[in-house]
Amino acid sequence: MKTNEQIQAALEARLPQMTAWRRYLHQHPEPSFHEQETARYIAEQLREMGCDIRTGVGGHGIVATIRGERPGPVIALRADIDALPIQDEKDVPYRSTVDGVMHACGHDAHTSTMLGIASYYQSVRGELQGERRLLFQPAEEICPGGAKPMIEAGVLEGVDAIYGVHLWSPLPYGAVATRPGPFMAAADEFTVTVTGQGGHGGLPHQTIDAVVAGSALVQALQSIVSRNVNPLQPAVLSVGAFHAGKSGNVIAERAVMNGTVRTFDPQTRRMIRARMEQIVAQTAELHGAKGELNYREGYPSVVNDAGEVDRFMRVAAQLPGELQVERSDMIMAAEDFAYYLQQVPGCFMFVGAGNEQTGAIYAHHHPRFDLDERAMAVAARLLIAMAEDRVGAASGTAGAG
């Protein structure tokens, strides 16, 4: 393979094209499970490169396969392609042209990074060992997600390792981070419905107030993390929405609340759900009301392979540009990359994309979210380095790329 410096130069030369791809996708976002035109655009770019592609994988997914002329491991790299139902409020030439939809999490840049990787690998096919399988995955943002359907469609068959990155605005450009073991949380959703008996606001004794019962329930649910979860196990239970009533002088008959549970430990996850079922039923009954819990399990925790994280620490430190290599804290955000890691060894990594000078300071899922587009070249370089070091390890010639 090429030297570190040659690969770096090749990717930096592709950065303008990656930027153009990213800005086109940013202007034409599509939400989860509706990425028809996004997939068509990606397939068009890959065909122009001469890639062997498979479309319609697990929905709107695409797999690009680049086979070397020499035998070796099969390495999968993954990018997500979907946008979010958020109105773009940025004042930039490439702002979303689709009302109420925007790439507010960086998936446009993930896709463009992977297209840059495809372009690079196609240019060095004769030097490759084994196979590079590039996964363009739909529907990461909404459960049940796109990873499981792609796995069911066979994208991991024969794969020896898988790597993925998330361009991460809380980290500054030039920093990269991950951690071994549990990295990102399992994320579940719940809806609680409290049904009482409505009536006149001046005659509360003739009613069963769903607001009072629901308020007590919100408070009681907080005791699960503070009093039932092992303090050494991270967990979050948040009620984010509470809807009840329409008038100030009417006792509400019904209250509905929605929230999320975030955990890392499977046993803690099961315990929280069981305690919620008990508390919802018993607290509502205490107030004469009826409580119903609808609990929906989401993505499992992202659990990185310890050996692959060791590879990251070593490989990232060797890359040109003197990257700031960090061991990340656990992150309570979720990712369906977790499903891939349940099947094969791999590593999910953060690449810093924040930049105060360019206005890339807003959180993911914010209407003014943006990122430092130079981070795409860093992400591409890191993914290639991880893949080639894994191939080198299999052949006894491990190096940074």
Side-chain angles (χ1 to χ4, degrees):
M1 284 293 291
K2 306 293 186 185
T3 65
N4 271 332
E5 290 70 23
Q6 288 173 322
I7 299 174
Q8 184 86 0
L11 293 172
E12 287 179 355
R14 286 168 169 79
L15 183 57
Q17 179 61 73
M18 285 190 268
T19 301
W21 283 325
R22 186 254 168 170
R23 294 187 176 191
Y24 175 86
L25 291 168
H26 200 85
Q27 288 181 291
H28 303 89
E30 293 178 300
S32 303
F33 301 106
H34 298 279
E35 309 94 338
Q36 295 95 326
E37 288 303 307
T38 302
R40 182 200 58 76
Y41 180 78
I42 294 167
E44 184 179 281
Q45 309 311 309
L46 292 168
R47 288 191 182 103
E48 287 183 4
M49 298 174 200
C51 290
D52 176 12
I53 68 170
R54 179 183 164 203
T55 60
V57 182
H60 299 299
I62 298 171
V63 178
T65 302
I66 303 172
R67 296 182 179 87
E69 296 184 1
R70 295 179 291 164
V74 179
I75 309 299
L77 306 176
R78 175 271 208 167
D80 36 19
I81 70 174
D82 54 325
L84 284 156
I86 295 173
Q87 180 65 42
D88 194 345
E89 296 180 2
K90 293 190 303 300
D91 184 17
V92 294
Y94 52 88
R95 68 180 293 175
S96 172
T97 61
V98 182
D99 190 43
V101 184
M102 74 170 286
H103 275 288
C105 202
H107 296 187
D108 51 344
H110 299 169
T111 299
S112 303
T113 296
M114 197 64 73
L115 287 171
I117 291 171
S119 172
Y120 171 75
Y121 272 139
Q122 275 293 100
S123 73
V124 295
R125 285 185 67 174
E127 303 174 39
L128 287 184
Q129 288 180 261
E131 178 185 315
R132 308 297 175 271
R133 196 174 297 173
L134 312 184
L135 312 181
F136 295 84
Q137 180 211 302
E140 186 277 329
E141 292 288 0
I142 298 178
C143 289
K148 285 183 76 175
M150 289 195 75
I151 293 169
E152 290 163 1
V155 300
L156 293 183
E157 290 178 7
V159 168
D160 295 286
I162 186 166
Y163 306 111
V165 300
H166 203 305
L167 299 183
W168 197 242
S169 63
L171 279 178
Y173 168 75
V176 293
T178 192
R179 65 176 292 116
F183 178 29
M184 301 180 75
D188 301 336
E189 299 174 351
F190 64 85
T191 300
V192 175
T193 303
V194 177
T195 305
Q197 180 179 321
H200 197 291
L203 303 169
H205 61 292
Q206 297 178 356
T207 72
I208 299 173
D209 193 335
V211 171
V212 171
S215 299
L217 184 52
V218 172
Q219 294 295 318
L221 288 173
Q222 301 310 307
S223 71
I224 297 175
V225 172
S226 67
R227 287 297 175 267
N228 299 129
V229 174
N230 184 333
L232 300 179
Q233 285 292 341
V236 169
L237 192 163
S238 295
V239 176
F242 189 116
H243 303 282
K246 295 181 180 178
S247 176
N249 65 347
V250 177
I251 300 294
E253 182 163 325
R254 191 166 179 264
V256 179
M257 59 201 78
N258 306 92
T260 185
V261 173
R262 305 290 171 114
T263 56
F264 289 93
D265 175 63
Q267 184 176 349
T268 299
R269 188 184 195 186
R270 291 190 295 271
M271 182 276 293
I272 289 177
R273 178 173 183 170
R275 284 292 292 139
M276 288 184 69
E277 291 170 348
Q278 295 170 344
I279 287 174
V280 167
Q282 293 172 3
T283 304
E285 183 180 5
L286 185 64
H287 290 79
K290 178 184 177 182
E292 179 182 356
L293 172 68
N294 180 7
Y295 194 100
R296 300 172 296 281
E297 287 198 356
Y299 305 151
S301 177
V302 172
V303 181
N304 280 330
D305 181 87
E308 294 298 343
V309 172
D310 288 343
R311 186 187 314 282
F312 162 85
M313 293 294 179
R314 175 172 49 78
V315 162
Q318 295 172 356
L319 295 180
E322 297 184 358
L323 295 178
Q324 180 181 334
V325 182
E326 301 179 5
R327 179 187 171 103
S328 175
D329 293 331
M330 290 179 173
I331 303 293
M332 282 295 178
E335 243 286 351
D336 72 349
F337 194 83
Y339 290 119
Y340 300 112
L341 293 175
Q342 288 182 336
Q343 304 296 318
V344 297
C347 186
F348 194 65
M349 303 159 281
F350 284 166
V351 172
N355 188 329
E356 291 186 6
Q357 277 131 8
T358 64
I361 58 174
Y362 295 95
H364 293 256
H365 297 204
H366 189 281
R368 297 182 67 183
F369 172 82
D370 208 348
L371 48 78
D372 189 325
E373 293 170 321
R374 296 176 300 167
M376 290 187 289
V378 177
R381 185 67 194 92
L382 179 60
L383 286 168
I384 290 171
M386 292 290 288
E388 299 318 307
D389 192 83
R390 175 64 178 81
V391 172
S395 63
T397 59

